Amino acid sequence: CFGQISVCLLVLLLCEFLGGGVLSVCPTMCSCSGGHRVVDCSLRSLTKLPVGLQHNILFLNLSFNSLQVLDNQLSLYGHLRTLDLSYNRLERLPSALPRSLWEVRVAGNQLHSLDKKDTAYHWNLKVLDLSDNELNKVVFINNTLLSLKSLNLSWNRFWTVPTNLPPNLECIDLSHNYLVQILPGSLDRLPKLVKFYLHANRFTWLFEGVLDKLTGLEMITLGDNPWACEEEENMTRLLQWAERTQATILGCPCYTKPICGQTPNRENTTLFTWPPPWANKRAGRDDTQSPALSNIHQDRRSLSESEEKTVLLAWGHTSTAAPTQFSTKNPQIKNHAVHIHTKTVTMTITVITTAFSPL
């Protein structure tokens, strides 16, 4: 009798185990690792979420597919940490994404705006990549996204720097937009901001003091902007700030020199957020010919080898790389007429290391 009870209990436990979705299963069209909790479904021509994902997955790569709507379809995956939806056909951020997420990448879609409710409950989110979309508006609620450290809004359609940015951001990339202004006070609540990318926009001048509250700033890029150098009063204030700040500035306004800012008692190594190799020709721009970059390459001729540094820039640990001859918006990529591998892209860039004395 006791043996029969034990067998019955074992069968019940096994049924609960199998029925609860704990069994390690990998969707047939995907590849899995890490006990089937790391799932790569990129480049599978998917139009809907694959069947068979186990509920405790940690990492899900759905990039380079043809997904259009995923609303409420990912809410069951309460252990998910990283979600890559890059280069699909999404017109909005999917609703009801798991609140467990640390990293969300939705680059290369067709997003036009980000509503406040889209990110209101993502208190664990650390990285948000919305680059290469059609965004001209994002709305954040005060005191939300408190864990967010990195926000990438590059290659969009912003005319002004968004307000109400999450307060604990350490890196903001707004390069390659149409920015013409930063509203006074909009950056005052970002004391932890370390890196700020504003190159390749349409700034002609900035309001006085708009950057003064960025006390933690270590590096900012201002190159490839049409600064109104003839407006002496406005530009004098900006140039004075550029000389006074302890942050490294790559691409000084009016090309006074390639690098400015103070570097007290520390090595000054400048970094740049380069666009993905397939985006160089977007919007008719050839970024290799940026005036700010041209100045840097010219100045390199007069430097000794000891003054140069080689910096390795990795485009994210799960970056998706496409061939350089295709645009991100090219239908050949969307339809997968070419075979593209998901991999980490490493770029070797020679940059200048120059010592400046404190003023």
Side-chain angles (χ1 to χ4, degrees):
C1 183
F2 179 77
Q4 289 179 340
I5 294 175
S6 299
V7 171
C8 289
L9 287 174
L10 182 61
V11 171
L12 287 173
L13 288 172
L14 185 59
C15 289
E16 183 178 354
F17 180 76
L18 295 176
V22 183
L23 183 65
S24 292
V25 175
C26 185
T28 55
M29 71 289 294
C30 304
S31 60
C32 301
S33 60
H36 293 218
R37 300 183 74 187
V38 177
V39 184
D40 183 0
C41 303
S42 61
L43 290 161
R44 267 46 173 212
S45 300
L46 297 175
T47 58
K48 59 182 180 179
L49 198 66
V51 177
L53 293 170
Q54 61 186 51
H55 291 172
N56 64 343
I57 56 174
L58 295 173
F59 174 96
L60 179 59
N61 186 354
L62 294 169
S63 62
F64 288 104
N65 282 293
S66 299
L67 300 168
Q68 292 182 291
V69 179
L70 287 173
D71 290 344
N72 302 305
Q73 296 181 40
L74 294 165
S75 58
L76 295 176
Y77 305 99
H79 297 271
L80 194 60
R81 292 288 186 261
T82 299
L83 175 64
D84 193 342
L85 296 171
S86 301
Y87 302 100
N88 278 278
R89 297 176 180 174
L90 300 171
E91 295 185 1
R92 63 179 182 273
L93 196 68
S95 61
L97 289 178
R99 299 178 184 181
S100 58
L101 282 165
W102 289 358
E103 181 174 347
V104 174
R105 298 184 180 275
V106 200
N109 280 273
Q110 300 167 23
L111 277 62
H112 288 273
S113 64
L114 187 72
D115 190 75
K116 58 185 179 182
K117 64 182 179 182
D118 292 333
T119 58
Y121 302 103
H122 292 286
W123 42 75
N124 293 308
L125 197 61
K126 303 175 188 295
V127 176
L128 180 58
D129 183 359
L130 301 173
S131 60
D132 197 12
N133 277 282
E134 309 294 330
L135 290 168
N136 54 42
K137 180 184 180 183
V138 292
V139 180
F140 300 108
I141 304 175
N142 277 331
N143 300 317
T144 58
L145 292 174
L146 296 180
S147 298
L148 193 66
K149 304 296 184 184
S150 178
L151 177 62
N152 190 345
L153 297 174
S154 62
W155 294 97
N156 276 285
R157 297 181 177 276
F158 292 101
W159 287 89
T160 185
V161 172
T163 57
N164 262 15
L165 289 167
N168 294 318
L169 282 169
E170 296 177 0
C171 179
I172 301 174
D173 191 346
L174 277 161
S175 63
H176 301 277
N177 275 279
Y178 302 95
L179 296 174
V180 297
Q181 66 175 351
I182 303 175
L183 295 175
S186 58
L187 303 178
D188 289 358
R189 297 176 61 250
L190 298 171
K192 298 182 181 180
L193 189 62
V194 176
K195 297 180 181 179
F196 198 12
Y197 301 102
L198 293 173
H199 59 278
N201 277 286
R202 296 183 178 180
F203 289 115
T204 56
W205 60 283
L206 296 178
F207 286 108
E208 183 178 8
V210 75
L211 301 172
D212 288 353
K213 296 294 181 66
L214 301 179
T215 54
L217 195 64
E218 294 182 5
M219 194 270 290
I220 185 171
T221 63
L222 297 176
D224 201 5
N225 279 289
W227 300 107
C229 301
E230 69 282 1
E231 297 183 13
E232 187 172 335
E233 183 177 356
N234 289 330
M235 293 311 302
T236 296
R237 296 192 186 108
L238 180 58
L239 291 171
Q240 287 175 344
W241 175 85
E243 292 296 332
R244 184 176 67 249
T245 182
Q246 294 188 1
T248 296
I249 302 174
L250 183 59
C252 298
C254 300
Y255 315 122
T256 51
K257 46 189 172 182
I259 303 173
C260 52
Q262 298 184 49
T263 54
N265 301 320
R266 62 188 174 92
E267 190 179 55
N268 180 11
T269 302
T270 60
L271 301 180
F272 215 102
T273 52
W274 296 77
W278 61 88
N280 282 344
K281 302 294 184 180
R282 178 170 173 165
R285 286 180 174 172
D286 184 353
D287 295 290
T288 60
Q289 300 304 316
S290 163
L293 300 182
S294 298
N295 285 348
I296 291 174
H297 295 314
Q298 290 170 6
D299 282 9
R300 278 192 63 246
R301 300 170 191 159
S302 62
L303 296 178
S304 64
E305 292 183 3
S306 63
E307 292 174 306
E308 298 182 358
K309 285 284 183 179
T310 300
V311 179
L312 295 180
L313 298 181
W315 277 89
H317 66 280
T318 60
S319 297
T320 43
T324 56
Q325 65 264 36
F326 294 107
S327 163
T328 55
K329 302 300 184 183
N330 193 313
Q332 288 181 289
I333 286 184
K334 297 293 184 180
N335 296 329
H336 314 300
V338 293
H339 185 66
I340 310 169
H341 293 284
T342 302
K343 62 182 180 180
T344 300
V345 182
T346 303
M347 301 170 61
T348 303
I349 301 171
T350 304
V351 295
I352 309 168
T353 300
T354 308
F356 288 102
S357 301
L359 296 180

